Amino acid sequence: LTLRTEPHYVLGIDIGGTKLAVGIVSPEGRLVSEVRTPTLVREGPDRVIRQLLDLCDGALVQSGLLRSQVVAAGVGCGGPLDPITGVVMEPPNLPGWVDVPLVARLSDRLQIPVSLDNDANAAALGEHRFGAGRGIANMIYLTISTGVGGGVITDGRLYQGENGNAGEIGHMGVVLGGRTCGCGGQGCLEAYASGTSIAGRVREAIAGGRTSMMPELAGSLEQITAETVLAALRAGDALAREIWEETLDLLGMGVANVISIFNPRRVVLGGGITNFGDLLFPPLRERALRRVMAPLAAVVDIVPAELGSTVGILGAAAVALAAREASELVNVVYK
Ligand SMILES: [Zn+2]
């Protein structure tokens, strides 16, 4: 048995359609350094990969660590992608990226193991390891912003499914023949609960003749966002209340469905919707828990995420750490 004396750090690489962020993270989740830059998305994957490699260099220099102290890298990126082959397939937020072998490209240059997962799964791993899910074996993560993403942790590990696409909680059907979703399906949770869909339903209702303070609050009908709905809700607007109640009902149904399948100890909710605070959590708990059987309701809580704006980098770092642990386990078993 050998004991490690020096800590081993990992790179967390967060690829978004508008910004790139890279940080160096300790095994305990301390962010040692952090660099960000706007994504040159229109210049294509080769240029963005060069940007990422420059950011990795920048994060290393800023950290003051030796290159040899950074032992692995994890990447969180918009899907669809294949975490097993490390190929990014064709994410809507990265136009021009078609079947990009991102893991091969990065590990070739960085000379360390690189692992990849979609941004919601990465965030689930990050919250589980460093945030609101610490010490919890069975956890569901749900992020609600412009879209709805999710990740499922069972027995302390990310549940990946047959080809790495498990946890697409946003595309669970909640309304038969309902609104069309970005995925092409109908009645998905995302088509009701995402910030975009909440604002869209408000705009449709007003265009259909409903009166509300929201166009004036936002400046115009087109400028209404989920934040406008929150402000109008606090000011007692009847339409905002109606749309929000419907959102809570459907979100409660969706959360109850995942609780019924996975029997988690905790549901962690992240993303912009958590700004609704007490207008969200107590009524959502009530609506979700009354739909599940008593033994399931008895052990689960529904709480806000904890990592905030660092979730991208810390989630990617958690992808690297999980892959590292899995490979060490393989070595123990087979060597
Ligand atoms: Zn969908």
Side-chain angles (χ1 to χ4, degrees):
L1 182 75
T2 53
L3 288 175
R4 286 199 190 110
T5 48
E6 64 177 45
H8 287 180
Y9 296 84
V10 294
L11 276 164
I13 301 174
D14 176 23
I15 305 181
T18 55
K19 69 162 178 53
L20 306 173
V22 174
I24 291 183
V25 178
S26 78
E28 302 77 36
R30 186 167 53 88
L31 194 51
V32 181
S33 65
E34 180 183 0
V35 286
R36 291 169 184 266
T37 196
T39 313
L40 298 175
V41 68
R42 279 179 299 183
E43 295 182 33
D46 289 346
R47 182 73 185 92
V48 174
I49 289 170
R50 280 208 306 281
Q51 283 190 290
L52 291 172
L53 292 165
D54 288 345
L55 289 176
C56 291
D57 287 340
L60 184 69
V61 169
Q62 200 189 89
S63 71
L65 295 169
L66 300 171
R67 192 166 278 272
S68 62
Q69 288 177 279
V70 180
V71 296
V75 186
C77 181
L81 50 78
D82 187 332
I84 295 144
T85 59
V87 172
V88 175
M89 282 135 121
E90 209 174 346
N93 67 341
L94 296 169
W97 288 53
V98 181
D99 296 334
V100 175
L102 185 64
V103 163
R105 298 277 304 271
L106 291 176
S107 59
D108 200 41
R109 289 289 307 275
L110 295 171
Q111 294 292 308
I112 49 177
V114 177
S115 33
L116 168 74
D117 216 320
N118 76 58
D119 39 19
N121 278 347
L125 283 168
E127 286 291 341
H128 177 249
R129 188 175 286 263
F130 305 127
R134 278 190 311 276
I136 301 269
N138 296 297
M139 179 196 116
I140 304 294
Y141 174 76
L142 198 55
T143 175
I144 305 180
S145 294
T146 53
V148 177
V152 175
I153 306 282
T154 60
D155 293 332
R157 297 174 65 168
L158 181 73
Y159 178 70
Q160 289 199 305
E162 185 65 22
N163 67 357
N165 288 285
E168 286 291 352
I169 297 167
H171 301 293
M172 172 191 344
V174 289
V175 177
L176 190 63
R179 294 168 61 83
T180 301
C181 179
C183 73
Q186 278 192 317
C188 297
L189 180 60
E190 178 169 298
Y192 293 87
S194 71
T196 321
S197 308
I198 293 170
R201 269 148 58 226
V202 166
R203 285 195 296 267
E204 285 163 27
I206 295 171
R210 291 290 303 274
T211 54
S212 164
M213 66 172 72
M214 285 184 272
E216 200 182 332
L217 270 180
S220 73
L221 185 64
E222 290 69 36
Q223 286 169 286
I224 292 172
T225 64
E227 292 298 313
T228 319
V229 179
L230 175 56
L233 202 52
R234 287 185 173 138
D237 184 80
L239 179 61
R241 169 55 59 189
E242 196 178 299
I243 298 284
W244 182 241
E245 289 289 326
E246 184 185 48
T247 306
L248 286 169
D249 282 341
L250 294 171
L251 196 52
M253 185 189 289
V255 169
N257 290 346
V258 264
I259 291 173
S260 294
I261 297 168
F262 293 104
N263 186 193
R265 168 70 184 82
R266 185 161 293 170
V267 176
V268 176
L269 219 57
I273 201 166
T274 56
N275 292 337
F276 282 75
D278 279 351
L279 292 167
L280 170 66
F281 284 94
L284 178 63
R285 282 184 197 110
E286 192 270 315
R287 282 165 220 228
L289 296 190
R290 86 174 166 227
R291 284 181 168 272
V292 301
M293 290 190 296
L296 298 160
V299 294
V300 69
D301 54 15
I302 302 173
V303 302
E306 286 180 7
L307 299 182
S309 63
T310 63
V311 70
I313 291 175
L314 291 180
V319 170
L321 290 166
R324 205 169 142 70
E325 286 163 4
S327 72
E328 278 172 359
L329 197 64
V330 168
N331 288 340
V332 168
V333 172
Y334 293 107
K335 275 192 175 170

